[in-house]
Structures are given as C-alpha cells and as structure tokens.
Amino acid sequence: MSFRQFSSRDGSPWIPKYLTEISTDLCIGCGRCFKVCSHAVMKLMGVNEDGDMCDPFDDDDGEVVRKVMTLEQAGKCVGCGSCEQVCGTKAQKHEPLPA
C-alpha cells in the first residue's frame, strides 16, 4: 500500500503520520502534547467518577477525578509528530494516509 507523500525543503521524501487517536486509559492529561501543537488539534477534558467527559475547569463540586487530552479537530493535524515525541505515556496513535 502506498501512502500520501510530500517533500521536505531539501527534496527528501516525507510521509506524515497523522494523529488518529488518544487513549484515555493511557493519557495522564499533562498537556505536553497540547503545548507543542500549533494547530489546535487537541482539547483538555475532565473525566468524572462515572467515566464521562466534562469541563476540566468547572470543578466546583469535585466531580473531575482526572484530566485527559482528547482529539478535538483531527482534520487540522499536519502530521508533524511533535505531540508523539513529547508523550511520555505513548497514549497517541498516528497513521499515514493512503495515497
């Protein structure tokens, strides 16, 4: 199978691997991936005691038990791999696009 391929500035072939999934089981919500992404691909969310996603900053009643990063706008990912490089828990899945 061939994948969508581009050229780097010096003409070297480059196959981008796009962020396709973030495991809520592995993600610790540290935000390192969010900080290196300049395309607003991810969003920080809270997880309540029932396992449902909620606003991580609206925690007046203490319902947020942990925070995780979610894939908010996958179509904005440019496939640079910066988020994958900084993820300490390997919570992200990246894949190239078929040609």
Side-chain angles (χ1 to χ4, degrees):
M1 174 185 284
S2 63
F3 297 106
R4 186 177 292 181
Q5 181 174 304
F6 298 95
S7 296
S8 65
R9 202 164 61 172
D10 69 357
S12 302
W14 175 58
I15 298 174
K17 292 182 180 177
Y18 300 96
L19 178 60
T20 57
E21 183 181 338
I22 301 173
S23 169
T24 56
D25 294 329
L26 296 175
C27 179
I28 59 173
C30 68
R32 288 167 40 184
C33 58
F34 181 81
K35 290 175 187 172
V36 299
C37 180
S38 61
H39 297 279
V41 174
M42 296 160 276
K43 181 179 181 181
L44 184 66
M45 293 295 292
V47 179
N48 65 21
E49 54 233 4
D50 297 327
D52 297 326
M53 296 291 175
C54 59
D55 185 342
F57 305 109
D58 184 25
D59 194 26
D60 296 333
D61 56 2
E63 75 172 24
V64 176
V65 293
R66 66 189 188 97
K67 296 177 182 177
V68 296
M69 215 38 81
T70 59
L71 184 55
E72 178 73 5
Q73 297 186 53
K76 289 188 172 186
C77 179
V78 297
C80 70
S82 294
C83 58
E84 183 178 28
Q85 293 296 317
V86 299
C87 183
T89 63
K90 306 296 182 213
Q92 302 173 354
K93 181 178 179 183
H94 294 76
E95 296 177 346
L97 288 179

